[in-house]
Amino acid sequence: MTQNVTVPEYAEYKEILKGRLSPKRFEHSLCVADEALRLAVKYGGDVQKAYLAGLLHDITKNTVESEHFKLFNTFGAELSEIEQTSEKLWHAISGALYIRYLLNIDDAELIDAVRYHTTAKAEMSLLAKILYLADFTSADRDYDDVDVMRRLVDESMDKAMAYALRYTVLDLAERNLAIHPDTLSAFNEIMLKRRNNNG
C-alpha cells in the first residue's frame, strides 16, 4: 500500500469478492485498488473512494449471463445494441447496479466510475479517470505497451488517458469489433483538448 496512506481494510467487501471472483480476478481487484490509491495520492483524488472503487470494479466479472441480465432487468438498465452483443461490457453495467442496489453503496461518483471503467466516456470525473487508468496499469497487467502506460500515468493523467483511449480504439478496430460511442466520445474529447492546448 502507498506509503503513509491508510484506508479501511474493507474486510466485508473482500469476503464478498472472494466468493464471487476467481482467485486471479480477486488478485487483480486488489492490484487495481492499490494502483487507484497510488494515483489518487498523486493526482489529489479521494484515496478512500479510489481504493474502494478499485476493489469493487470487477465485482460481477465472473458472473454468468443470466445473472447479468437479471440485474439489468431488475434495476431497469437499458442496454444499447453494442452493449447487448458485447459480453465484455456487461460487468461494468451490472457491477454498478450490484454496488448500488445489493451493497447499498449510495455514492454516485463511485458508481459512475465503475459503470464506465471499461468504455470510458466524455466528462469523466477525477475518480473515473483514476479507476480507468488503474485498471490499465495495475501491477498484474502484462499486455503490450503496459510499460509505456505506466510511464505515462506517472507523467500526466491527460497523456495517459489519451494513450489508453488511442490504444483501445486501435485494438478494437484492428480486431473488427464495434467501438462503443462512449469510448469514441472520450477519445474525441481528449484529442480536441490536446489540440486546443497545443494550438
Side-chain angles (χ1 to χ4, degrees):
M1 198 158 289
T2 302
Q3 190 176 8
N4 299 326
V5 177
T6 58
V7 293
E9 275 297 307
Y10 295 118
E12 180 183 353
Y13 293 141
K14 288 177 182 177
E15 284 304 310
I16 292 171
L17 289 170
K18 283 181 183 177
R20 295 188 56 83
L21 301 178
S22 67
K24 183 177 180 181
R25 185 58 50 179
F26 177 67
E27 180 62 26
H28 169 69
S29 298
L30 296 178
C31 288
V32 173
D34 286 343
E35 178 69 351
L37 172 60
R38 189 183 75 82
L39 294 178
V41 170
K42 181 174 181 63
Y43 289 108
D46 184 318
V47 294
Q48 185 170 323
K49 200 181 288 191
Y51 185 82
L52 183 57
L55 201 61
L56 297 178
H57 78 288
D58 273 353
I59 194 164
T60 58
K61 182 73 172 183
N62 294 140
T63 293
V64 297
E65 179 176 338
S66 59
E67 187 182 347
H68 285 298
F69 280 88
K70 183 179 180 181
L71 287 164
F72 299 151
N73 294 330
T74 300
F75 300 113
E78 295 185 10
L79 274 61
S80 67
E81 184 177 1
I82 289 178
E83 290 164 348
Q84 289 173 16
T85 58
S86 300
E87 186 176 348
K88 287 188 175 183
L89 302 180
W90 294 349
H91 75 285
I93 305 167
S94 63
L97 296 170
Y98 190 99
I99 291 165
R100 172 64 186 93
Y101 295 105
L102 299 183
L103 297 184
N104 296 309
I105 296 175
D106 187 14
D107 186 313
E109 186 183 29
L110 188 150
I111 292 163
D112 185 75
V114 171
R115 169 65 180 81
Y116 293 99
H117 83 268
T118 302
T119 59
K121 67 170 186 172
E123 299 182 4
M124 293 170 79
S125 69
L126 175 59
L127 178 64
K129 290 178 181 178
I130 285 170
L131 180 58
Y132 184 77
L133 293 172
D135 198 20
F136 255 92
T137 58
S138 60
D140 60 312
R141 291 297 198 190
D142 63 357
Y143 60 88
D144 291 344
D145 285 5
V146 69
D147 291 337
V148 176
M149 272 300 306
R150 288 182 179 134
R151 175 174 56 78
L152 289 173
V153 84
D154 281 334
E155 284 182 20
S156 158
M157 181 168 281
D158 280 351
K159 285 181 181 179
M161 286 295 301
Y163 195 92
L165 288 163
R166 180 178 179 273
Y167 181 95
T168 299
V169 169
L170 288 174
D171 178 61
L172 291 169
E174 286 173 0
R175 291 191 286 141
N176 295 317
L177 295 174
I179 301 170
H180 197 288
D182 286 334
T183 306
L184 291 173
S185 294
F187 177 77
N188 289 339
E189 177 188 63
I190 201 157
M191 291 306 156
L192 287 170
K193 179 181 177 183
R194 294 184 77 192
R195 188 184 72 180
N196 292 338
N197 288 344
N198 291 336

